[in-house]
Amino acid sequence: QVQVVESGGGLVQPGGSLRLSCAASGLIFRNYDMGWFRRVPGKERELVARVSNADGSTNYAADVEGRFTISRDNAKGMMYLQMNSLKPEDTAVYYCKVGVVPSYWGQGTQVTVSS
């Protein structure tokens, strides 16, 4: 059974940092593309960043480029999102997605950026 679990969310002041973690089990981790998505109430879930399983290449949404860094550790079955210079508009529930077709999602972790 595939399990995907996010952690690391919380409340942080503008300009602060957080590191999100995603643990995936029940699959051969290195075979899967992975990504971080986020959703703000009333809006569609949007891609934040993704990391390829093939060559480790990464892609970022324009509004997080240069502030967020996605990484993966295939040996540990983990993916991370280092978020720096956080802004109030980064407030959202952040989700880990494993794979494309099929894909597996975690339950999400809340990130709130507020003073």
Side-chain angles (χ1 to χ4, degrees):
Q1 182 179 358
V2 176
Q3 287 191 319
V4 180
V5 180
E6 303 96 338
S7 61
L11 173 64
V12 63
Q13 292 188 342
S17 298
L18 279 176
R19 188 194 195 205
L20 304 184
S21 299
C22 172
S25 59
L27 45 73
I28 302 175
F29 188 86
R30 65 179 181 273
N31 290 349
Y32 291 82
D33 249 28
M34 298 194 70
W36 287 99
F37 288 72
R38 65 187 180 188
R39 181 158 59 195
V40 175
K43 293 188 176 182
E44 295 290 321
R45 189 157 44 187
E46 63 177 6
L47 174 68
V48 175
R50 66 171 286 272
V51 56
S52 167
N53 66 303
D55 58 6
S57 59
T58 57
N59 301 99
Y60 295 91
D63 59 347
V64 307
E65 182 99 49
R67 299 189 297 122
F68 291 9
T69 303
I70 188 172
S71 61
R72 62 189 294 165
D73 185 334
N74 289 338
K76 295 182 178 179
M78 297 291 295
M79 179 178 66
Y80 306 98
L81 186 68
Q82 178 65 43
M83 305 186 295
N84 298 329
S85 302
L86 283 160
K87 304 175 181 180
E89 50 264 43
D90 295 317
T91 295
V93 178
Y94 284 71
Y95 297 88
C96 171
K97 181 186 178 185
V98 179
V100 179
V101 178
S103 61
Y104 307 93
W105 293 86
Q107 293 299 306
T109 185
Q110 176 71 46
V111 172
T112 302
V113 185
S114 175
S115 56

